[in-house]
Amino acid sequence: MRTIGLIGGMSWHSTMTYYRLLNESVANELGGHASARIVLQSLDFAEVRACQVTGDWQTAVRLLADAAVACQNGGADVVAICTNLMHKVAPAVEAALTVPLLHIADAVAAEATRQGCTRLGILGTKWTMQERFYADRLARHGIEVVVPGVDDCDLIDRVIFDELTQGVIRDESRAAYQRVIDRLAGCGAQAVVLACTEIGLLLAPGQSALPMIDSAEAHAAELARVALAVPA
């Protein structure tokens, strides 16, 4: 079994989802007492969030690159950043490694392709929705994104940082997200990607007018496939 390196803590609430899903996949495949081989570097999200707020992406690169190298030095055969937004600095993190970095948008694209979707609505932080680093990665796979309007982007971002990354789940926020998804459907989205790893804590299957691709679930599934693959 290959060892998976996780850069987590952004936030720790969604990192738990990765840990659970990876272990469930390995246990289901191998049975018995089998569990995943995981090296976890859990960052202090307060430090990362400060970098985001001040635009100090160079410090963010250092924090994540150091964590990535620590995963590699701990025996990881592949490394993953357990958050969508911080893939903004993924190229620099990848450059610090000699093992592969499994990009979350590639995992989302793989799941979208399995579902036959080429036009995805996107819910995430403002950076993830409005900048090109995420959409361009999806475009490599022939997938187009539909971005919410400015007011909806503000709402989605506020709920993520004021509530979800602090473990707060509110029914009124779920209803607001559902209304945004309705509008994305009206703009031609075939499915919606939960492009923040905490949004799956708010929206469960069946609570959306569109099929949902949970980025944390898609990423963890790809990592499990890598973990269980027979080495070349």
Side-chain angles (χ1 to χ4, degrees):
M1 190 192 314
R2 292 190 175 114
T3 300
I4 304 299
L6 299 179
I7 306 172
M10 301 172 286
S11 67
W12 65 264
H13 302 280
S14 61
T15 304
M16 289 195 302
T17 300
Y18 276 83
Y19 189 82
R20 175 179 58 80
L21 291 174
L22 275 167
N23 281 293
E24 286 177 351
S25 294
V26 169
N28 289 338
E29 181 67 23
L30 301 181
H33 295 104
S35 59
R37 294 183 179 274
I38 295 172
V39 178
L40 172 62
Q41 287 288 313
S42 188
L43 300 181
D44 177 0
F45 188 46
E47 294 180 15
V48 177
R49 181 61 181 149
C51 292
Q52 295 169 352
V53 171
T54 61
D56 186 3
W57 298 105
Q58 285 303 112
T59 297
V61 166
R62 178 180 57 77
L63 289 171
L64 269 71
D66 287 351
V69 171
C71 286
Q72 179 177 282
N73 291 344
D77 297 298
V78 63
V79 174
I81 302 170
C82 300
T83 165
N84 291 268
L85 165 56
M86 296 313 294
H87 279 76
K88 179 178 170 71
V89 300
V93 175
E94 189 171 27
L97 294 168
T98 58
V99 299
L101 179 76
L102 201 160
H103 199 290
I104 195 168
D106 292 343
V108 167
E111 180 57 30
T113 299
R114 278 190 284 272
Q115 295 188 21
C117 298
T118 58
R119 186 173 168 85
L120 298 178
I122 185 167
L123 302 181
T125 67
K126 284 185 182 180
W127 289 280
T128 306
M129 292 184 289
Q130 297 176 337
E131 294 188 10
R132 293 299 308 176
F133 69 91
Y134 201 83
D136 286 348
R137 190 76 181 205
L138 291 174
R140 294 187 189 185
H141 303 273
I143 294 172
E144 180 185 0
V145 302
V146 182
V147 178
V150 173
D151 289 345
D152 284 343
C153 285
D154 288 342
L155 165 74
I156 294 160
D157 188 85
R158 179 189 61 74
V159 169
I160 288 169
F161 289 116
D162 290 355
E163 299 173 22
L164 302 182
T165 54
Q166 299 181 58
V168 177
I169 307 297
R170 292 186 171 134
D171 290 340
E172 55 268 33
S173 296
R174 181 181 299 108
Y177 270 45
Q178 289 168 331
R179 290 191 291 272
V180 174
I181 293 171
D182 289 343
R183 288 189 279 275
L184 291 171
C187 292
Q190 298 166 309
V192 60
V193 54
L194 309 185
C196 166
T197 52
E198 283 82 17
I199 297 177
L201 304 174
L202 180 67
L203 291 171
Q207 293 184 327
S208 165
L210 289 172
M212 293 188 296
I213 298 175
D214 186 320
S215 59
E217 292 183 359
H219 205 192
E222 286 294 324
L223 290 166
R225 281 187 275 273
V226 170
L228 293 164
V230 177

